[in-house]
Amino acid sequence: MDDQELERLALDLESDRVERKAIAGSHLDQIRQAVCAFANDLPDHRAPGVIINGLRDDGSCAGLMIDDAMLLRLAAVRDDGQIAPIPSLVVQPRTIAGCKVAVLIVQPSDAPPVRYNGRTWIRVGPRRATATPEEERRLMERRRWKHLPYDLHPVTLATLADLDLAYFRTEYLPQAVAADVIEANQRSEQQQLAGLRMVDLEGCPTVLGCLVLGVEPRRHVPGAYVQFVRFEGTGLTSAVRDQKEIGGRLADQLRRIEEVLELNVRVGGSFVGPAVEQRAVDYPLPALRQMVRNAVLHRSYEGTHAPVRVYWFEDRIEIHSPGGLFGQVTAETFTHGVTDYRNPHLAEAMKHLGFVQRFGAGFEIARAELARNGNPPLEAESHPGHVLITVRRRP
């Protein structure tokens, strides 16, 4: 968006494509609501909405300090997991009529409704509001199916009988949508499933629905499992001590592989004084959890039957994730906080299920845990068909 268009929007007090804010601190609830509303694009402008932090409602300059700390706080709105699916958002420092502001440019979502903490926010003229059931239905019907990521593609051979609907009602739905919203909407179960992208508008399960709610996900997504192999030595020709194929719906799969990792971590002790023993593990479990979750989330489920592979050797653990790097992530940046999402709605589901606290922080957490435990630094390689993460044993 060039300066001329931005200034025109900023000074047009009647436009429903712009919202002016003067928020200097960490209270960003209104910013998140506005991001959610512009991403939903209920008026169907098919053009970005703009949040200008630093202008008052009347268009006058608020005189905020627009520094790197503020820009980072605003940019974190995209990845902190409170808005799902992850919005397309750019944050920039700009100057409008001599006033320094921070501008958030929000693109309309291809897969509305977008929710902030379980509520769907929309624009109603110049103000924000939560969507009614009828407005949510209109948003769902507007999904741009041709451009959707693979995790929202319908699985044509699947039916509702392939989904665990009791699990959806009792476990997933209460974590994904605020309780008062569920009670007020009184929507049918199929409408609830469609609203959370588990089925399409005709009731056909999506890839996401099969992964998250599937009774047997591998029936329709053959690579949806984790292969664990524990070797006696340091190479693929070494004797196999243990091996498992861990399938099932997403939450069960992640919990089971994490239990297997915990069982295989060795705890050792060394005396550092006359009666003081220091306990240490060969691998810190939080680092392994992050890397396996990352592999399940960012892998490709399209065009491959390969699983995520966790190979545990005597001197290292290798985690293989099918599919190369995606989107804006490059070989130079993918372990340094640059994120993009091949499966953005699977990311949303993992957040609802408690397996993601903050998007884009997995490598940062893993590196810190490895350093704290005394392990060598994390190693990462990208290949055309897969990504390989290697974790070396603590000396």
Side-chain angles (χ1 to χ4, degrees):
M1 182 173 293
D2 61 30
D3 290 342
Q4 185 176 2
E5 183 183 2
L6 179 61
E7 186 162 339
R8 179 184 63 77
L9 280 173
L11 301 179
D12 181 359
L13 300 184
E14 301 299 321
S15 174
D16 62 356
R17 284 185 53 209
V18 64
E19 186 157 335
R20 300 159 198 82
K21 291 294 171 193
I23 297 175
S26 57
H27 303 291
L28 299 178
D29 279 358
Q30 294 180 29
I31 296 286
R32 293 188 181 94
Q33 291 171 10
V35 169
C36 181
F38 284 132
N40 280 319
D41 187 27
L42 183 66
D44 202 22
H45 290 302
R46 304 188 186 188
V50 180
I51 305 161
I52 302 175
N53 195 32
L55 291 183
R56 299 186 181 93
D57 287 341
D58 62 2
S60 62
C61 184
L64 294 184
M65 175 67 72
I66 308 298
D67 55 13
D68 287 345
M70 172 182 282
L71 295 172
L72 287 171
R73 282 198 301 273
L74 293 172
V77 165
R78 175 184 182 270
D79 293 322
D80 64 9
Q82 297 187 61
I83 302 174
I86 299 162
S88 176
L89 171 67
V90 174
V91 179
Q92 299 173 339
R94 303 285 277 269
T95 301
I96 297 175
C99 181
K100 292 183 177 179
V101 298
V103 175
L104 296 83
I105 301 174
V106 186
Q107 297 292 338
S109 173
D110 282 342
V114 177
R115 295 181 175 88
Y116 165 47
N117 280 350
R119 288 177 169 79
T120 301
W121 289 88
I122 56 170
R123 295 289 296 185
V124 180
R127 65 181 181 86
R128 276 175 281 109
T130 54
T132 65
E134 172 62 20
E135 287 163 339
E136 283 211 12
R137 183 190 64 77
R138 287 167 54 195
L139 289 172
M140 285 188 286
E141 289 178 349
R142 194 181 295 157
R143 292 176 185 170
R144 298 168 176 87
W145 294 109
K146 291 190 296 185
H147 306 294
L148 291 184
Y150 184 68
D151 58 3
L152 287 195
H153 283 205
V155 180
T156 55
L157 297 180
T159 69
L160 287 178
D162 292 301
L163 305 183
D164 187 338
L165 299 181
Y167 173 80
F168 173 73
R169 287 190 295 270
T170 60
E171 298 292 332
Y172 189 80
L173 181 63
Q175 296 182 73
V177 180
D180 59 321
V181 174
I182 296 173
E183 183 176 359
N185 279 355
Q186 295 295 309
R187 300 168 71 185
S188 70
E189 189 164 72
Q190 184 165 321
Q191 289 173 327
Q192 292 172 332
L193 287 163
L196 290 168
R197 305 167 185 82
M198 301 297 162
V199 302
D200 67 11
L201 298 179
E202 284 70 47
C204 177
T206 59
V207 172
L208 177 69
C210 290
L211 292 173
V212 175
L213 307 178
V215 177
E216 295 182 25
R218 289 175 65 182
R219 179 184 298 172
H220 301 291
V221 189
Y225 67 103
V226 179
Q227 181 185 60
F228 174 85
V229 184
R230 177 73 188 263
F231 295 93
E232 294 281 1
T234 60
L236 290 172
T237 59
S238 303
V240 173
R241 181 185 304 178
D242 187 22
Q243 59 181 330
K244 292 177 172 62
E245 285 190 1
I246 299 172
R249 58 180 175 241
L250 179 70
D252 294 342
Q253 186 181 133
L254 289 172
R255 291 190 185 104
R256 287 178 57 202
I257 184 60
E258 290 174 9
E259 289 171 0
V260 170
L261 294 173
E262 186 171 10
L263 288 172
N264 280 272
V265 167
R266 287 198 294 251
V267 180
S270 60
F271 288 94
V272 295
V276 179
E277 184 182 16
Q278 180 177 338
R279 307 287 288 177
V281 294
D282 52 355
Y283 298 98
L285 192 58
L288 300 184
R289 284 196 194 106
Q290 290 296 328
M291 292 299 92
V292 170
R293 291 174 185 179
N294 241 40
V296 169
L297 168 57
H298 292 291
R299 62 155 295 171
S300 173
Y301 289 92
E302 183 178 13
T304 177
H305 294 179
V308 169
R309 291 177 290 158
V310 179
Y311 288 171
W312 192 305
F313 299 96
E314 284 301 300
D315 61 342
R316 70 194 187 281
I317 299 171
E318 294 182 356
I319 301 168
H320 300 252
S321 180
L325 300 179
F326 179 79
Q328 66 176 339
V329 184
T330 68
E332 292 73 30
T333 64
F334 84 102
T335 63
H336 298 286
V338 176
T339 57
D340 210 334
Y341 295 88
R342 176 183 276 116
N343 306 302
H345 307 92
L346 187 63
E348 175 187 1
M350 288 178 66
K351 176 68 170 60
H352 292 324
L353 292 167
F355 293 103
V356 174
Q357 281 69 52
R358 181 166 63 90
F359 293 116
F363 279 100
E364 178 185 334
I365 294 170
R367 273 196 290 265
E369 292 289 343
L370 291 169
R372 188 178 299 118
N373 194 60
N375 292 74
L378 194 72
E379 300 171 21
E381 302 173 24
S382 63
H383 302 274
H386 72 283
V387 171
L388 169 63
I389 303 299
T390 302
V391 185
R392 301 282 175 184
R393 193 179 67 188
R394 181 180 185 272

